Amino acid sequence: MTFALACVYLGARGLLPISNEQKLKVEEALSGLLVLNDFEEKYSIVLDNYLAFERAGLEISLQQSVRWNLTDTEFRDLKRPLNRHLMNLLSSCRAYLDGGRTHLKKVIDDGSAMFAAQTSDQYDSQFSYRFMEGLRNYVQHQDLGVHKLTIASKWIDDRTGLHIATKVAVDVERLIADHQIKRTILTEAEDDPKNSDLMLLVSGYVESLAKIHKNMREALIPKVNSWEHMMSDLESKFEAQFPDENR
């Protein structure tokens, strides 16, 4: 059986013969690049949901600057978009973490183990990562994750502007009573008020995922470069032999 590369469009006639070995390498490269594209797509979805969560917090501050006399019901309703975006974010993070091992295993032999080592390192070293992993399980199986909402405002010194801050927090005592998150993690949250600030916890969690993704990208550079170099070389040979095909 013979193999060849060709442009796929009506009227294309150029055929560049390739060996069986080259054909297998092309298949490996195309398959691997598609897998990594899915891996990158899941990471992008995580960032999209994180931005949506942060924007929801900013939207509350903006509303408060012009609608300062909200009713109790209207104020409680402010938590709804935060909860919605938090649920979306945590679901996409889980999809990224679960899918990451599968994707990377298809690309490099030790990809799954490398990814697992990265996530374990973040879990061991970052409280926000540990807490948010527990909160994801809580939100999925128990209750909503946004418990407290506080809006504070103060004039800038010369009264030329008003500073409005929205604080979103979890109720640690409530989480303890529900028994869905490890007690050791909640003890850490009790010890420092900052450890119940959901905006800080979420940003810290996403930062950990960004570090994981950056490290995996760097580990994949040699493999990706070799694939892209091979594909570029074959494309150059095809263009040299059939200069009119790509016009």
Side-chain angles (χ1 to χ4, degrees):
M1 183 178 292
T2 59
F3 303 96
L5 295 180
C7 289
V8 183
Y9 64 86
L10 189 63
R13 297 183 178 180
L15 292 174
L16 178 68
I18 59 174
S19 66
N20 182 62
E21 180 182 359
Q22 286 177 309
K23 174 254 188 186
L24 293 176
K25 288 182 177 180
V26 168
E27 289 179 339
E28 178 194 357
L30 290 175
S31 175
L33 291 171
L34 287 173
V35 167
L36 292 181
N37 182 72
D38 289 343
F39 182 55
E40 290 290 338
E41 188 72 11
K42 286 184 177 179
Y43 179 65
S44 293
I45 291 172
V46 168
L47 297 184
D48 288 343
N49 283 325
Y50 170 62
L51 290 172
F53 178 75
E54 288 285 352
R55 278 195 295 267
L58 294 173
E59 176 70 19
I60 291 173
S61 295
L62 179 61
Q63 286 194 47
Q64 185 67 11
S65 70
V66 295
R67 299 182 63 207
W68 53 270
N69 58 338
L70 297 176
T71 66
D72 290 343
T73 299
E74 289 174 328
F75 188 81
R76 287 195 298 270
D77 286 346
L78 293 177
K79 292 195 296 184
R80 187 181 302 118
L82 286 169
N83 272 309
R84 181 174 72 251
H85 293 305
L86 178 63
M87 292 174 71
N88 290 339
L89 173 61
L90 293 176
S91 295
S92 62
C93 289
R94 188 72 263 161
Y96 170 79
L97 292 168
D98 287 347
R101 294 189 183 188
T102 302
H103 292 318
L104 297 172
K105 184 178 181 179
K106 295 177 180 178
V107 176
I108 46 180
D109 293 337
D110 57 348
S112 179
M114 291 172 61
F115 190 73
Q118 291 289 328
T119 58
S120 293
D121 179 64
Q122 291 301 314
Y123 186 94
D124 293 340
S125 62
Q126 301 299 323
F127 170 77
S128 59
Y129 190 98
R130 292 192 296 276
F131 185 90
M132 293 305 296
E133 282 288 281
L135 188 65
R136 180 207 58 79
N137 187 64
Y138 175 84
V139 168
Q140 182 177 353
H141 300 290
Q142 187 78 18
D143 206 346
L144 298 173
V146 177
H147 301 153
K148 299 178 180 180
L149 180 64
T150 305
I151 303 174
S153 61
K154 66 177 181 179
W155 287 105
I156 297 174
D157 291 340
D158 55 6
R159 296 183 68 83
T160 58
L162 184 66
H163 179 268
I164 301 175
T166 298
K167 182 177 180 181
V168 184
V170 295
D171 186 337
V172 177
E173 292 183 0
R174 178 174 169 181
L175 294 175
I176 292 173
D178 287 338
H179 304 290
Q180 285 289 324
I181 300 178
K182 289 181 180 179
R183 188 64 177 84
T184 53
I185 295 176
L186 294 177
T187 298
E188 292 182 82
E190 286 182 299
D191 292 341
D192 188 344
K194 290 183 179 179
N195 287 343
S196 63
D197 187 324
L198 194 54
M199 303 303 280
L200 291 178
L201 290 166
V202 168
S203 63
Y205 184 46
V206 174
E207 182 180 0
S208 288
L209 296 181
K211 291 177 180 177
I212 292 170
H213 200 72
K214 175 179 178 292
N215 291 338
M216 294 312 303
R217 277 178 176 171
E218 291 176 350
L220 290 163
I221 285 175
K223 176 72 76 173
V224 173
N225 284 348
S226 68
W227 286 339
E228 292 182 340
H229 177 75
M230 180 197 65
M231 298 296 289
S232 178
D233 183 56
L234 287 173
E235 183 178 357
S236 296
K237 290 179 180 178
F238 186 91
E239 291 176 348
Q241 190 167 340
F242 307 101
D244 296 331
E245 287 287 287
N246 291 326
R247 291 183 180 179

